[in-house]
Amino acid sequence: MSKTLFVTGGAGFIGSAVVRLLINKTGYTVVNIDKLTYAGNLESLKSVSDNERYIFEHIDICDKEKITQAFNKYNPVGILHLAAESHVDRSIVGPGEFIQTNIVGTFNLLECARAYYDSLENKDSFKFVHVSTDEVFGSLGNTGYFSETTAYDPRSPYSASKASSDMLARAWFHTYNLPVVITNCTNNYGTFHFPEKLIPLVINNAMRQKPLPVYGRGENVRDWLYVDDHARGILLAFEKGKSGENYCIGGHNERTNLEVVQVICKILDELKPRADGKSYSEQITFVTDRAGHDYRYAMDPTKIQSELGWKPEDTFDTGIKKTVQWYLDNQDWVAHVQSGEYQKWVDTNYTNR
Ligand code: NAD
Ligand code: DAU
């Protein structure tokens, strides 16, 4: 019988990459715990969902009874906690869900994990990996990097909710000895990324002859990491990370937003030229800036590289080409997650769960 790992938010963008990694490259049995919000898509797991080591549990992480039952039923050796409301723009429009899932939900998971951990005879193998973001560190100027010792300075409702959950996770380690490891990663991109976020939004708008909205002057800087490199970092943090520590993950791929959009346009110009022969960059439209828009994020990943041996496999140039091609090849997935059709798919495919 293989060891069982919980993945929360496994139907989301990064969570699904983690589940695919665990099923395809390890022997763990994976219990995917997901509420299936608008951002959760079981279709992203089609390639592994028939595997006998994959189990789906449709549970809200705020539901104490069901989470407790799940711990007792599956006896996991660890939990990789990714479930969250993740989109900064949505947190500005409606922060309530972010407080509920990211803070209250994490609190609930920590409490359920604590009760389960306290009941374990062999405590050595259990670990709670709390997956967080570089946004908790605030905003950088033109120079410098975030690292594990950077002071927290969250500035959006999203990053404030993630920072709160990080603090809870730390407190549960120090106060209750729950073996918690925290990861803080930079902006991810890649396959199955919900098309509300910059990179998939731009690819899809370009294909649909729609404007490519760039906030402000497009000068804000993000540090991009291909999603599978992040997934490997999370697994390493579980297998080799030291309890009570946090690990910053990033691959030194800083780009301004305008550079990112221009690169996507250039790749699309080659792969799928516009009918009128003009460049997709003609569709770039500068729009009103995001409220409180953090200027720059950039990560120093030295600790996870030197202590855990993590190394990214993709650069931005290799990852973005794969990503654009994937969206060209997977327009059905995009149409489903955007149209509500997806929900019917869930109802049809998961009647027995
Ligand atoms: P996502 O929005 O694509 O997916 C979130 C998943 O969580 C969805 O499947 C959703 O259904 C599920 N979920 C939401 N609320 C839930 C609840 N109450 N109970 C159970 N499941 C619930 O998010 P993502 O981009 O994959 O991010 C995953 C995690 O990684 C988040 O914690 C996020 O803060 C963190 N992170 C993201 C990035 C990034 O660039 N996307 C970077 C660093 C860290
Ligand atoms: O840094 C890690 C974070 O990266 C994660 O914690 C978040 O969950 C994830 O959503 C992401 O946050 P960002 O706000 O950086 O990602 P987003 O794709 O929304 O925006 C990237 C940049 O592009 C940001 O500077 C805002 C800008 N942008 C975004 C959108 C949606 C635009 O210019 N136009 C847009 O339409």
Side-chain angles (χ1 to χ4, degrees):
M1 186 59 187
S2 75
K3 291 177 179 171
T4 298
L5 260 183
F6 280 6
V7 177
T8 71
F13 165 47
I14 303 168
S16 67
V18 170
V19 172
R20 291 189 300 271
L21 173 71
L22 291 171
I23 294 296
N24 293 329
K25 298 275 163 70
T26 77
Y28 290 108
T29 293
V30 179
V31 179
N32 171 17
I33 293 178
D34 202 294
K35 179 185 174 181
L36 297 182
T37 67
Y38 78 95
N41 300 296
L42 292 173
E43 213 171 342
S44 309
L45 293 163
K46 239 176 176 172
S47 65
V48 293
S49 57
D50 286 339
N51 191 295
E52 58 183 16
R53 290 186 291 110
Y54 172 78
I55 297 160
F56 175 61
E57 286 284 358
H58 191 184
I59 301 177
D60 184 337
I61 57 164
C62 300
D63 188 330
K64 190 170 184 181
E65 204 181 312
K66 286 196 177 152
I67 295 288
T68 301
Q69 280 169 2
F71 269 109
N72 294 334
K73 181 173 175 187
Y74 296 110
N75 296 311
V77 294
I79 177 162
L80 311 181
H81 172 37
L82 293 99
E85 288 294 332
S86 69
H87 193 35
V88 175
D89 290 338
R90 283 183 191 247
S91 82
I92 296 168
V93 177
E97 281 296 313
F98 289 72
I99 305 304
Q100 191 58 28
T101 286
N102 299 2
I103 306 177
V104 179
T106 300
F107 159 72
N108 187 48
L109 271 186
L110 287 165
E111 276 295 78
C112 295
R114 175 163 79 98
Y116 169 73
Y117 179 69
D118 285 347
S119 74
L120 289 178
E121 270 173 33
N122 174 12
K123 293 188 162 37
D124 292 344
S125 59
F126 187 82
K127 208 177 278 165
F128 187 120
V129 178
H130 174 67
V131 176
S132 190
T133 167
D134 59 357
E135 300 202 9
V136 297
F137 300 124
S139 181
L140 292 165
N142 283 320
T143 57
Y145 297 95
F146 298 134
S147 76
E148 289 76 11
T149 53
T150 305
Y152 273 42
D153 182 24
R155 294 145 51 100
S156 74
Y158 163 71
S159 55
S161 70
K162 290 297 292 187
S164 307
S165 62
D166 292 13
M167 293 300 155
L168 292 174
R170 280 186 189 188
W172 261 241
F173 166 74
H174 286 289
T175 309
Y176 303 114
N177 299 318
L178 186 70
V180 171
V181 172
I182 299 174
T183 58
N184 297 91
C185 188
T186 58
N187 281 64
N188 285 211
Y189 68 102
T191 60
F192 302 103
H193 200 183
F194 198 85
E196 64 186 350
K197 308 279 168 54
L198 178 71
I199 287 180
L201 179 94
V202 164
I203 300 170
N204 289 311
N205 278 16
M207 302 307 304
R208 289 168 178 72
Q209 294 82 45
K210 287 171 147 181
L212 313 181
V214 174
Y215 296 166
R217 300 303 305 161
E219 287 161 355
N220 300 62
V221 175
R222 296 292 181 266
D223 185 354
W224 295 95
L225 186 70
Y226 194 70
V227 64
D228 292 342
D229 283 325
H230 186 193
R232 276 189 287 276
I234 293 168
L235 180 57
L236 264 181
F238 170 70
E239 290 190 322
K240 294 192 186 164
K242 197 166 160 240
S243 296
E245 296 286 316
N246 62 319
Y247 296 90
C248 286
I249 310 179
H252 285 302
N253 286 293
E254 288 181 53
R255 299 284 186 285
T256 67
N257 292 336
L258 189 55
E259 282 170 340
V260 168
V261 176
Q262 282 168 337
V263 165
I264 294 169
C265 290
K266 200 161 168 256
I267 297 170
L268 281 171
D269 287 341
E270 284 163 21
L271 295 179
K272 201 170 170 49
R274 268 175 40 159
D276 63 6
K278 292 183 179 167
S279 169
Y280 286 95
S281 58
E282 299 262 325
Q283 289 164 233
I284 293 174
T285 311
F286 293 98
V287 299
T288 309
D289 210 349
R290 172 183 281 174
H293 197 172
D294 287 340
Y295 173 60
R296 174 172 167 258
Y297 305 142
M299 193 61 92
D300 173 3
T302 304
K303 180 177 171 182
I304 190 163
Q305 287 181 328
S306 59
E307 291 186 14
L308 306 189
W310 177 81
K311 203 168 162 271
E313 289 181 3
D314 271 295
T315 63
F316 186 71
D317 292 338
T318 59
I320 194 69
K321 281 196 191 111
K322 286 196 284 194
T323 303
V324 174
Q325 186 65 59
W326 186 87
Y327 278 90
L328 290 179
D329 295 342
N330 287 275
Q331 285 293 302
D332 286 356
W333 180 89
V334 175
H336 281 157
V337 303
Q338 282 184 322
S339 69
E341 272 298 306
Y342 172 67
Q343 194 53 48
K344 284 187 210 150
W345 188 91
V346 171
D347 294 340
T348 315
N349 287 278
Y350 284 88
T351 45
N352 60 345
R353 306 264 171 122

